[in-house]
Amino acid sequence: GYEESGWRPSVIFSAKPKTDTVMDERNPLGTLASSGSEKEIRISTDGRTHKIFQNFGLKNGFGFWGETDQVSQEICAAHGMTFATNAYDFGPLGPLAFSADAIVNIQKMLQWADANTEILKDRDDRLATVAVWRSTATAAYVRHTPIWAACAVEQMLFESHLPFTILLDSHLKTRLQRSRLLILPLSSCVSDEQIEFICQYVLNGGNLLLIGDAAMRDEHTLTRPQHGFHKLFPPGALQGMERIGPPHYVPEPDVSKLKNVLRANAGLGRVCLIPKMPPIRDLDLTRDPYMPQRGVMPKDVLPPKNEMEILKEIAWLLNENLGIRLEGPRTTLSEYYTQGKDLLICCANLLSDTDGGPLKIHLPEVKTENAEIYSYPEKNIKKGKLKNGVLDLPNCQRFIAVKIKNQ
């Protein structure tokens, strides 16, 4: 899609309210606003593509976007080594992807990768506590808002360091059981069959977070007389929704009229409905002259305004047990893999001139206290020690991989 072209690894600063920064520059120094202005930060990543690829059973390397300086090229490679399943594949070296001296600039990183291929290959699967479902029927019905909502929730999870995956319709039945929580961000169009499957997932111990008008229509965009997941809530819990609409329209329940977040236990699982998810600022609805459909502008791919409320409900749904996760700066992104019986956690610092640490990796179910730490540009593998299921890393200069064996 159009918006994916702007998800390029970087940390971009801009002066408010001006946000039309250079989209393909990973070095934030290239897009700093004038001194004295209030800054807005946008953390850009194309890690979504890697997550979706793997759900189709595909393994891929990573590419470059034409970076011209060494720091930006190393940030690109660190991001690729974090999110690509075949992270030893540094991608195309063509004229549109590399500057003339790029192969020289990243020579040190190539040598480091060549010496540590055991952490860059044989990545079996990603760990994903959370699954974000992008409903095809919803995206076809409303091109802009549901895609923005999915992007915003995904961005929140990236920056909060919670392991997650992105499900499309074909993955719902085959991949959902790998996650403990399913999120429907403004996914209004859901079929009866999908509702039945998700309800059973919750009753069997899964958890469901509904945001906005999720499941208010069927797959044909027809308005439902009552909420699609009303059976998961106690009787009368959804009575606060007012039916609105002029006489010549079919009146529909308005979930935004609910005053409070709704929580409920259902079978062995939990369900929560958050009525609204506003953006941090007004979204740019400009149409690109070459792409007449209204795409999500990369500058709008930011966590939602009520991020803390959503994270609070995620914690409740997971019974305050978030599982494996990272604590660290929002500008250090992470991904979590299995390698045979081993566990692998990768982290990339996207800032050009600031360390990406300190990091605290929570590993509550890990049985051993020992960890191997691979850190670029350091040559030697370090030994780490977990204390009460937590591994502390004082810094992350550019890229770190932590391997826990025999899990």
Side-chain angles (χ1 to χ4, degrees), residues 81-151:
M81 289 193 295
T82 297
F83 287 103
T85 42
N86 290 340
Y88 56 86
D89 180 358
F90 273 50
L93 307 182
L96 297 180
F98 256 20
S99 59
D101 56 353
I103 196 68
V104 176
N105 289 344
I106 66 167
Q107 190 63 36
K108 182 179 177 181
M109 195 167 233
L110 286 169
Q111 292 172 350
W112 185 92
D114 188 54
N116 296 285
T117 55
E118 66 270 22
I119 61 166
L120 303 177
K121 63 179 183 179
D122 300 327
R123 296 178 176 181
D124 299 326
D125 205 354
R126 298 172 201 267
L127 299 179
T129 305
V130 179
V132 179
W133 178 32
R134 292 193 177 199
S135 162
T136 300
T138 305
Y141 172 56
V142 182
R143 176 69 181 91
H144 181 275
T145 305
I147 294 179
W148 167 80
C151 293

Side-chain angles (χ1 to χ4, degrees), residues 54 76 101 137 146 174 211 216 227 244 258 264 316 351 366 376:
Q54 188 155 10
C76 170
D101 56 353
T174 59
I211 301 178
M216 298 297 289
H227 198 285
I244 61 170
L258 291 173
W316 177 80
L351 288 173
V366 165
Y376 176 81

